[in-house]
Amino acid sequence: MTNAPTDILHATHSALRKNGYAELTMQDIADETDLSKASIHYHYDCKHDLLVAFLDHLYERFTARIEDPDGESPSERLRSLVDTVVTDRPENSAFQTALLEIKAQSPYDDAFRERLRRFDDTFAAAAREIVAEGVAEGAFRDDVDPDAVASFLTTYVNGAQVRYVSVGHPLEVSAAEVHAYIDETVLAESDPAPGESATPPPERADTGGSSE
């Protein structure tokens, strides 16, 4: 037995990929389902109401994706959190472009802005929690401000997504750059980045004798 509202939300995803935000119509969404346009209007009065519900749907998926970042240490979990948002993107670039179009409407649309803010707030809260944990454990520098780092990372991942959609800047490069920020700004000296030794190797004794 199908669930019409869920089917409509999935159809909205497909229709946005094909048509973008500006050109999207309720008929485009109906064409992606076995439902009629009138049936979609039964559940959602207009395209705007449907897109608000679609953002709620995306938010539920987003929170599930970032709920438990991989990694044993705070630094590994922080990198994993960033990678999940920046590089682990199941949606294609056409869908990302459509989302950027929706974001561009948020300054003029309270419902869009409220829902987009939830994405930022949730990501920032997750980053803040990991950074605070890392500071408490001594894995991160004791002068690191979890709020400041969370704010920076939230701004950065948003910018990485916009840069990818607008000029094609590779997401993997953006992720590598933010990893470098974590290594250089957040990590305590005694907490190595993945693949690095916690302490430098001992200097080898000079066994070749003096050249003088």
Side-chain angles (χ1 to χ4, degrees):
M1 185 176 184
T2 61
N3 183 314
T6 300
D7 290 346
I8 293 169
L9 294 176
H10 290 164
T12 301
H13 182 280
S14 298
L16 279 169
R17 289 174 59 181
K18 293 179 180 179
N19 302 281
Y21 164 78
E23 302 298 325
L24 183 70
T25 67
M26 297 292 265
Q27 185 60 56
D28 292 329
I29 297 169
D31 290 344
E32 299 295 324
T33 72
D34 295 328
L35 302 171
S36 66
K37 180 180 173 182
S39 297
I40 294 178
H41 275 292
Y42 174 80
H43 294 280
Y44 303 100
D45 289 338
C46 61
K47 183 176 85 168
H48 178 267
D49 290 348
L50 174 50
L51 288 175
V52 168
F54 181 66
L55 288 175
D56 288 336
H57 169 68
L58 289 183
Y59 177 74
E60 291 178 2
R61 292 174 54 194
F62 177 77
T63 55
R65 286 171 57 207
I66 70 169
E67 184 176 14
D68 187 21
D70 293 334
E72 297 297 325
S73 68
S75 61
E76 290 175 348
R77 289 197 293 277
L78 189 59
R79 291 186 185 89
S80 177
L81 175 69
V82 169
D83 287 350
T84 297
V85 176
V86 175
T87 61
D88 181 18
R89 309 203 62 81
E91 299 89 0
N92 66 11
S93 59
F95 179 69
Q96 291 303 313
T97 301
L99 279 185
L100 186 58
E101 291 180 291
I102 293 175
K103 289 181 178 181
Q105 301 303 311
S106 63
Y108 319 103
D109 191 303
D110 290 343
F112 284 174
R113 183 167 60 251
E114 176 187 347
R115 281 153 178 83
L116 292 170
R117 184 183 294 123
R118 288 196 300 170
F119 287 86
D120 279 10
D121 290 347
T122 299
F123 175 82
R128 186 184 306 113
E129 181 179 355
I130 295 172
V131 174
E133 178 186 353
V135 172
E137 293 181 1
F140 295 163
R141 291 170 39 183
D142 58 11
D143 61 344
V144 165
D145 181 351
D147 288 321
V149 173
S151 178
F152 172 83
L153 292 176
T154 304
T155 301
Y156 189 92
V157 298
N158 274 300
Q161 293 161 6
V162 172
R163 195 176 182 192
Y164 166 67
V165 172
S166 59
V167 299
H169 186 70
L171 293 173
E172 293 76 11
V173 174
S174 293
E177 290 166 348
V178 78
H179 284 201
Y181 162 80
I182 293 170
D183 294 344
E184 297 167 6
T185 307
V186 181
L187 285 184
E189 290 184 4
S190 60
D191 190 55
E196 295 182 359
S197 174
T199 57
E203 294 184 3
R204 291 182 300 171
D206 184 358
T207 58
S210 173
S211 61
E212 297 181 355

